[in-house]
Amino acid sequence: MSKNLTSRAEDYSKWYNELVVKADLAENSAVRGCMVIKPYGYAIWEKMQAELDRMFKETGHQNAYFPLFVPKSLFEAEEKNAEGFAKECAVVTHYRLESDPENEGKLRVDPNAKLEEELVVRPTSEAIIWNTYKGWIQSYRDLPILVNQWANVVRWEMRTRLFLRTAEFLWQEGHTAHATKEEAIEETQQMNKIYAQFTENFMAIPVVQGVKTESERFAGAVDTYCIEALMQDGKALQAGTSHFLGQNFAEAFDVKFTNKAGKLDYVWATSWGVSTRLMGALIMTHSDDKGLVLPPKLAPYQVVIVPIYKNDEQFDAVRKVADQIINDLKALNIGVKFDGRDTLRPGAKFAQHELQGVPLRIAIGPKDLENGTVELARRDTFTKEIVELDSINNTVVELLGEIQDSLFNKALDFRDSHITEVNDFEEFKKVLETKTGFISAHWDGTSETEQKIKELTKATIRCIPLDGKEEEGVCVYTGKPSKRRVLFAKAY
Amino acid sequence: MSKNLTSRAEDYSKWYNELVVKADLAENSAVRGCMVIKPYGYAIWEKMQAELDRMFKETGHQNAYFPLFVPKSLFEAEEKNAEGFAKECAVVTHYRLESDPENEGKLRVDPNAKLEEELVVRPTSEAIIWNTYKGWIQSYRDLPILVNQWANVVRWEMRTRLFLRTAEFLWQEGHTAHATKEEAIEETQQMNKIYAQFTENFMAIPVVQGVKTESERFAGAVDTYCIEALMQDGKALQAGTSHFLGQNFAEAFDVKFTNKAGKLDYVWATSWGVSTRLMGALIMTHSDDKGLVLPPKLAPYQVVIVPIYKNDEQFDAVRKVADQIINDLKALNIGVKFDGRDTLRPGAKFAQHELQGVPLRIAIGPKDLENGTVELARRDTFTKEIVELDSINNTVVELLGEIQDSLFNKALDFRDSHITEVNDFEEFKKVLETKTGFISAHWDGTSETEQKIKELTKATIRCIPLDGKEEEGVCVYTGKPSKRRVLFAKAY
């Protein structure tokens, strides 16, 4: 199977599209732009969900659920937000189908079942949630509200790609309400930091934490914090965002509270989200020409055992040893799959597990049984070793930790070697054409310059890094004075 | 707060509606018929999800995700299914809003952004899933497919009630594909049994397992298995269904496979689901005039600690003891909330926790500190006892088990005392008007009789119980011969 995978060097984009489908992660559906997330892909998403959910709850957040639909009048209440999403939203206009009198056996929209007010399928939930919060908040005692929602959202994108940009996607969206500006900003920053910790420690994807420029900000936000990752092809990918919404939504939905001093004030807001887009980041950060490479913490199972046998007797003997390993590793919280299919030869199984990125493969054959050993193979490095049965548990535990760290370090090296400081626009263009990656350059702070650079090079400002230093300089395009560098890149 | 709750005797329906809102479980939203599930209610739903998900995975099922939208042409492919849902489905017809030239500052549907084919918001996913399975199944080696999906669905109900009947609700829907009829029927039965185990062992709700009559069957099913519960007002509630779909969907979507004998055949299907409706069943089975009563296994936290104090010093001393209890119980996997709010008096806190159904309440005051005791109160029985600090952990563990069992037994006694064997139609009507509950009666097996009885009494056949015995008898309405009793009831 993996033989058929296009190599990254040949066509990175094609490699990605093929890999997603061949590794059984997802596929296109009969609905334009909407994907089916297959069980193997969904199992990875579930691991992400579980860890994020744990981190959210540990920081005091609770889950809730708000309606899928947003009445048009609510949708348009916060003007900038509405403007940002109006062009790409699915709209429900009717609530019934009837048999089509002109087309026997077919259904049509019932013209008598038109909604009085159209319903927008949520592209994001600030509007419906702030309209709800109005009823929850009277006094500072009702604050903060720290709520998260796991949900599907719809944005009618014209050009879609599995996981990276789909008309429907799954995500979590946090929506918090605060009594003070400071507290809301702190929350915004905290959640961006949690996203960074999650992508780095769990997904083994290094990220730059930063703030978006005005033109890249979320529609309706005062400030958008983000984490930016770098893919193997040198393009950046926005992996998560956390928005300080100021009092914009509170004003739009008239959500006021009595503060400690007894005065009425508008409530301060944040929202933050990551989506199934992270699956795309995961794939494009670690995988290779043989297929998916998964950090152990995200793999649906960390180990696969492939039996090598010529007859039932040998199979049974191998199975017995395998069962012992499975039990031992299960007790250590390590997932193991025994691939006992009799319809595939070991070589074909090896190829499939490589394609699907199982971190460790154990092969056990008659010789191993004689010698009290197994063959252990690492997916990320393709190294193999013969391991004594006695020490297999320790070796597996150790190796899984090593793989997790090694994937992160490899991605970090790649990322760090693809941040180029540039002080000249000719060099800027040259780096983009040759080395790609992030370009660290001075910028004069205007949207006009940002727009001009984008037109000329397709690179956008990914973020103003949080850890950037103040530094005297001049804009790489206009030569006007600048106090700090920003990160440019072509982006997904 | 609980003072304001209407009593069940006064108006059961009003009691329910008030309780859902006052206990912070859910509320109506700005979208007709759609609810907001609040954090406290959602935490209960999450507990249900976790346990069901565990049970599904233990029996070999995997999660996946399929699109929210179903193109009209797919929706109508399985005729009976389409017919069953066409009258109540939300339809997306456009994919963009634009500013309204006739109404400044407002948006309107962009007439140039009409979809070529309308999209139905899924009321259930058989159509989109079986259209997908077509690509997954070629041979018996690809079977069985054992997939579940956690999702939102939309059914445009005209009369809605929080949790019980909402336009959008959350559910899980299992969709399995099998090589043989027998295997599919076995799966259908297995999942119905799992639902019964879940509702009884976890939710403490006794259920009758049975099969639906033709007129109550899922649209497109050959057979619908169900679990039926009885609410405190004597009305039945369908708590879960499991459908044997035969080859109906495989035929509609042309899903064939090569069987072991090398012959092409249509695939056999099942689907099964439970929804946030279970929240309604939970509330109406156990709760009382003081508010919610929760089985410990479903409570967001099993214990609440309320400090009794007159000054900071006392508060700190109580807090210290409370922290020790919290740590000890946490290690035993018991959730404890410390209610240290200084804005409410203990009495008001007691009332709120009663309203929200926290199974056990611990109060600790200065006298308790002196005596090395705490006051422990049970929500379900309102009994209180003074417990030595030394034995608080054991007592809590024991009591939680006792409460879980006692709630089930109480509900079981109620249910069993509300199943009345009836052999005469006058008595049938009398029981329905006085005692209510399930009526066990003979029925001649025809839809006509079933329909007639429904018109006359509003009672429907809830199910043909699986554990029913063969017994000679005559139909309670027509006097025609019958071989077994069925269960009638008025139902939610």
Side-chain angles (χ1 to χ4, degrees):
Chain A
M1 291 162 101
S2 66
K3 264 181 292 197
N4 301 326
L5 196 60
T6 298
S7 76
R8 287 165 295 172
E10 202 180 328
D11 186 338
Y12 192 81
S13 172
K14 203 171 163 203
W15 164 82
Y16 174 83
N17 294 339
E18 283 180 13
L19 177 52
V20 171
V21 172
K22 282 175 191 276
D24 264 344
L25 300 173
E27 65 185 35
N28 284 306
S29 77
V31 191
R32 205 202 63 82
C34 293
M35 64 181 158
V36 171
I37 307 179
K38 299 183 77 173
Y40 193 73
Y42 200 83
I44 299 172
W45 175 241
E46 279 182 312
K47 294 233 167 179
M48 293 191 200
Q49 282 189 300
E51 177 66 7
L52 284 167
D53 202 67
R54 195 191 61 72
M55 293 175 92
F56 297 159
K57 283 177 177 156
E58 217 170 49
T59 44
H61 302 86
Q62 294 178 293
N63 290 327
Y65 189 76
F66 298 86
L68 169 67
F69 300 129
V70 188
K72 188 170 70 67
S73 57
L74 293 185
F75 180 81
E76 66 195 359
E78 209 293 323
E79 271 181 47
K80 280 192 183 162
N81 190 249
E83 215 175 87
F85 290 101
K87 290 191 191 76
E88 50 179 36
C89 60
V91 188
V92 175
T93 56
H94 292 74
Y95 57 85
R96 195 190 299 146
L97 295 174
E98 60 170 13
S99 33
D100 187 346
E102 286 162 26
N103 207 342
E104 212 189 334
K106 301 287 178 185
L107 296 171
R108 68 168 191 190
V109 165
D110 181 348
N112 296 317
K114 193 166 185 299
L115 290 170
E116 273 180 44
E117 181 177 11
E118 294 89 348
L119 298 174
V120 175
V121 181
R122 64 181 163 215
T124 181
S125 300
E126 279 77 7
I128 189 77
I129 287 180
W130 277 88
N131 181 65
T132 306
Y133 281 178
K134 186 176 167 55
W136 294 6
I137 301 169
Q138 276 88 44
S139 136
Y140 71 93
R141 287 188 204 90
D142 302 319
L143 297 171
I145 293 178
L146 304 174
V147 161
N148 175 61
Q149 162 171 278
W150 290 95
N152 53 344
V153 285
V154 172
R155 297 177 185 175
W156 210 258
E157 305 271 3
M158 276 306 151
R159 295 175 54 200
T160 60
R161 283 185 78 188
L162 291 169
F163 290 126
L164 295 171
R165 200 171 288 279
T166 47
E168 181 193 14
F169 57 90
L170 303 184
W171 79 344
Q172 60 67 219
E173 45 181 326
H175 294 273
T176 68
H178 305 267
T180 67
K181 180 179 176 180
E182 294 67 36
E183 196 186 293
I185 291 176
E186 223 168 84
E187 167 81 3
T188 313
Q189 292 170 339
Q190 171 188 251
M191 297 323 290
N192 202 58
K193 214 173 284 172
I194 283 180
Y195 287 153
Q197 285 165 4
F198 170 74
T199 44
E200 300 203 332
N201 302 340
F202 209 72
M203 300 183 68
I205 300 176
V207 291
V208 177
Q209 297 181 52
V211 179
K212 289 285 183 191
T213 59
E214 194 185 341
S215 63
E216 296 279 334
R217 220 173 262 159
F218 176 75
V222 174
D223 249 327
T224 288
Y225 289 73
C226 63
I227 52 170
E228 295 283 327
L230 194 66
M231 303 297 98
Q232 293 171 350
D233 63 347
K235 282 169 79 175
L237 185 144
Q238 174 181 302
T241 47
S242 182
H243 315 294
F244 169 57
L245 303 173
Q247 294 173 310
N248 293 346
F249 285 89
E251 281 174 21
F253 292 94
D254 193 32
V255 188
K256 288 181 190 160
F257 75 107
T258 312
N259 66 20
K260 280 192 181 167
K263 284 179 70 179
L264 269 183
D265 194 8
Y266 286 114
V267 177
W268 298 87
T270 86
S271 70
W272 28 276
V274 296
S275 73
T276 37
R277 195 164 206 240
L278 284 177
M279 292 287 294
L282 177 73
I283 296 160
M284 289 201 291
T285 299
H286 303 301
S287 301
D288 62 25
D289 293 348
K290 291 282 187 192
L292 202 59
V293 175
L294 288 174
K297 288 184 184 172
L298 282 179
Y301 35 91
Q302 286 72 43
V303 181
V304 63
I305 300 180
V306 178
I308 317 288
Y309 61 99
K310 285 189 182 142
N311 52 49
D312 285 358
E313 201 184 330
Q314 285 182 357
F315 180 87
D316 291 344
V318 168
R319 173 90 224 201
K320 213 173 141 192
V321 173
D323 280 344
Q324 185 58 50
I325 298 176
I326 292 170
N327 280 336
D328 290 353
L329 291 179
K330 201 178 167 186
L332 296 166
N333 225 358
I334 295 168
V336 187
K337 181 181 170 132
F338 180 79
D339 187 351
R341 287 176 294 176
D342 59 5
T343 48
L344 281 183
R345 299 165 63 95
K349 291 181 187 177
F350 289 4
Q352 193 196 334
H353 299 305
E354 275 173 12
L355 183 58
Q356 296 199 293
V358 187
L360 288 175
R361 179 185 75 221
I362 293 175
I364 313 177
K367 278 207 177 134
D368 294 303
L369 293 179
E370 276 173 36
N371 302 334
T373 59
V374 302
E375 185 193 80
L376 186 63
R378 257 175 88 151
R379 169 61 184 89
D380 61 333
T381 54
F382 298 106
T383 48
K384 285 186 209 172
E385 53 178 319
I386 302 296
V387 179
E388 305 276 325
L389 254 183
D390 291 347
S391 59
I392 184 70
N393 299 342
N394 289 341
T395 310
V396 165
V397 171
E398 218 169 86
L399 274 184
L400 289 176
E402 204 175 306
I403 294 171
Q404 182 82 30
D405 293 346
S406 151
L407 290 179
F408 177 74
N409 289 328
K410 195 177 157 196
L412 186 64
D413 284 349
F414 178 82
R415 198 274 308 270
D416 286 348
S417 66
H418 283 77
I419 302 182
T420 313
E421 280 206 3
V422 164
N423 296 311
D424 166 293
F425 198 59
E426 286 313 306
E427 202 194 337
F428 187 105
K429 286 189 282 188
K430 203 177 129 202
V431 170
L432 270 185
E433 274 158 32
T434 53
K435 194 180 174 195
T436 69
F438 286 118
I439 292 179
S440 175
H442 279 283
W443 160 64
D444 65 16
T446 69
S447 293
E448 294 70 37
T449 301
E450 194 181 358
Q451 185 56 32
K452 195 73 199 169
I453 293 175
K454 184 177 176 182
E455 282 166 25
L456 292 169
T457 66
K458 287 186 183 158
T460 50
I461 299 178
R462 301 320 303 151
C463 70
I464 306 161
L466 291 185
D467 63 0
K469 291 178 290 286
E470 286 234 345
E471 174 192 294
E472 294 296 329
V474 295
C475 174
V476 73
Y477 183 69
T478 62
K480 288 182 189 164
S482 152
K483 295 256 180 210
R484 61 193 297 168
R485 290 178 184 271
V486 298
L487 286 186
F488 286 88
K490 290 186 192 169
Y492 278 94
Chain B
M1 293 163 103
S2 66
K3 263 181 294 193
N4 301 327
L5 196 60
T6 299
S7 76
R8 289 165 295 172
E10 202 180 328
D11 186 336
Y12 192 81
S13 171
K14 202 173 164 200
W15 164 82
Y16 174 83
N17 294 339
E18 283 180 12
L19 177 51
V20 171
V21 172
K22 282 175 190 277
D24 264 345
L25 300 174
E27 64 185 37
N28 286 304
S29 77
V31 191
R32 205 202 63 82
C34 293
M35 65 182 158
V36 171
I37 306 179
K38 299 183 78 173
Y40 193 72
Y42 199 83
I44 299 171
W45 175 240
E46 279 183 313
K47 294 233 167 180
M48 293 190 199
Q49 284 189 299
E51 177 65 7
L52 284 167
D53 202 68
R54 195 190 61 71
M55 294 175 93
F56 297 159
K57 284 178 176 155
E58 217 169 49
T59 44
H61 302 86
Q62 294 178 294
N63 289 327
Y65 189 76
F66 298 86
L68 170 68
F69 301 128
V70 189
K72 188 171 71 67
S73 57
L74 293 184
F75 180 80
E76 65 195 0
E78 210 293 324
E79 271 182 47
K80 278 192 185 163
N81 189 250
E83 216 175 88
F85 290 102
K87 290 190 191 76
E88 51 179 36
C89 60
V91 188
V92 175
T93 55
H94 292 74
Y95 58 84
R96 197 189 299 146
L97 294 175
E98 61 170 13
S99 34
D100 187 344
E102 287 162 26
N103 208 342
E104 211 190 333
K106 299 288 176 185
L107 296 170
R108 68 167 191 190
V109 165
D110 181 347
N112 296 316
K114 195 168 185 297
L115 289 169
E116 273 180 45
E117 180 177 12
E118 294 89 348
L119 299 174
V120 175
V121 181
R122 63 180 163 216
T124 181
S125 299
E126 279 78 6
I128 189 78
I129 287 180
W130 277 87
N131 181 65
T132 305
Y133 282 178
K134 186 176 166 54
W136 295 5
I137 301 169
Q138 276 88 43
S139 136
Y140 70 91
R141 286 187 205 90
D142 303 319
L143 297 171
I145 294 178
L146 304 174
V147 160
N148 176 61
Q149 162 171 278
W150 289 97
N152 53 344
V153 285
V154 172
R155 297 177 185 176
W156 210 259
E157 306 270 2
M158 277 304 152
R159 293 174 57 198
T160 60
R161 283 184 78 187
L162 291 168
F163 290 125
L164 295 171
R165 198 172 291 278
T166 47
E168 181 193 15
F169 57 89
L170 303 183
W171 79 345
Q172 61 67 219
E173 45 181 327
H175 294 273
T176 69
H178 304 267
T180 66
K181 181 179 176 180
E182 294 67 35
E183 196 186 293
I185 291 176
E186 224 169 83
E187 167 80 5
T188 313
Q189 292 169 338
Q190 170 187 252
M191 297 323 290
N192 202 57
K193 215 174 284 171
I194 283 180
Y195 288 153
Q197 284 165 4
F198 170 75
T199 45
E200 299 203 331
N201 302 340
F202 210 73
M203 300 181 69
I205 300 177
V207 291
V208 176
Q209 298 181 52
V211 179
K212 288 287 182 191
T213 59
E214 193 185 342
S215 63
E216 296 278 335
R217 222 174 258 159
F218 176 73
V222 174
D223 249 328
T224 288
Y225 289 72
C226 63
I227 52 171
E228 296 283 327
L230 192 67
M231 304 297 99
Q232 293 172 350
D233 63 346
K235 283 170 79 175
L237 186 145
Q238 174 181 300
T241 48
S242 182
H243 315 295
F244 169 57
L245 302 173
Q247 295 172 310
N248 292 347
F249 285 90
E251 282 174 21
F253 292 94
D254 193 32
V255 188
K256 289 181 189 157
F257 75 107
T258 313
N259 66 21
K260 280 190 181 169
K263 284 179 69 178
L264 269 183
D265 193 8
Y266 286 113
V267 177
W268 298 87
T270 86
S271 68
W272 28 274
V274 296
S275 73
T276 36
R277 198 167 204 239
L278 284 177
M279 292 287 295
L282 177 73
I283 296 161
M284 289 200 293
T285 300
H286 304 301
S287 302
D288 61 26
D289 292 349
K290 291 283 188 189
L292 201 60
V293 174
L294 288 174
K297 289 184 185 173
L298 282 179
Y301 34 91
Q302 285 72 42
V303 181
V304 63
I305 300 179
V306 178
I308 317 286
Y309 60 100
K310 286 191 182 141
N311 53 48
D312 286 358
E313 200 184 331
Q314 286 182 357
F315 180 87
D316 292 344
V318 168
R319 174 90 226 201
K320 213 175 141 191
V321 173
D323 282 343
Q324 185 58 49
I325 297 175
I326 292 170
N327 280 336
D328 290 353
L329 291 179
K330 201 178 168 185
L332 296 166
N333 226 359
I334 294 167
V336 188
K337 181 180 169 134
F338 180 80
D339 187 351
R341 287 176 293 176
D342 60 4
T343 48
L344 282 183
R345 298 167 63 95
K349 292 181 186 177
F350 289 4
Q352 194 197 334
H353 299 305
E354 276 174 10
L355 183 58
Q356 296 199 293
V358 186
L360 287 175
R361 179 185 75 221
I362 293 174
I364 313 176
K367 279 209 176 131
D368 294 304
L369 293 180
E370 275 173 37
N371 301 334
T373 58
V374 302
E375 184 195 79
L376 187 63
R378 260 176 86 154
R379 169 62 185 89
D380 62 333
T381 54
F382 299 106
T383 48
K384 283 186 209 173
E385 53 178 318
I386 301 297
V387 179
E388 305 276 324
L389 253 182
D390 292 346
S391 59
I392 185 71
N393 299 341
N394 290 341
T395 310
V396 164
V397 170
E398 218 169 87
L399 273 184
L400 289 176
E402 204 176 306
I403 293 170
Q404 182 82 29
D405 293 346
S406 152
L407 289 179
F408 177 75
N409 289 328
K410 195 176 158 197
L412 185 64
D413 284 349
F414 177 81
R415 200 271 310 269
D416 286 349
S417 67
H418 283 78
I419 301 182
T420 312
E421 279 204 3
V422 165
N423 298 309
D424 168 289
F425 197 60
E426 286 312 306
E427 202 195 337
F428 187 104
K429 287 189 283 188
K430 203 177 128 200
V431 169
L432 269 184
E433 274 159 31
T434 53
K435 195 181 175 195
T436 70
F438 287 118
I439 293 180
S440 175
H442 278 283
W443 160 64
D444 65 16
T446 69
S447 294
E448 293 70 34
T449 301
E450 193 181 358
Q451 184 58 32
K452 194 73 199 167
I453 293 176
K454 185 177 174 182
E455 281 166 26
L456 292 169
T457 66
K458 289 187 181 155
T460 50
I461 299 179
R462 301 320 303 151
C463 70
I464 306 161
L466 292 184
D467 64 359
K469 292 178 290 283
E470 286 233 344
E471 174 192 293
E472 295 296 331
V474 296
C475 174
V476 73
Y477 183 69
T478 62
K480 289 182 187 162
S482 152
K483 295 253 182 212
R484 61 193 299 171
R485 291 177 183 271
V486 299
L487 286 186
F488 287 88
K490 291 186 193 169
Y492 279 95

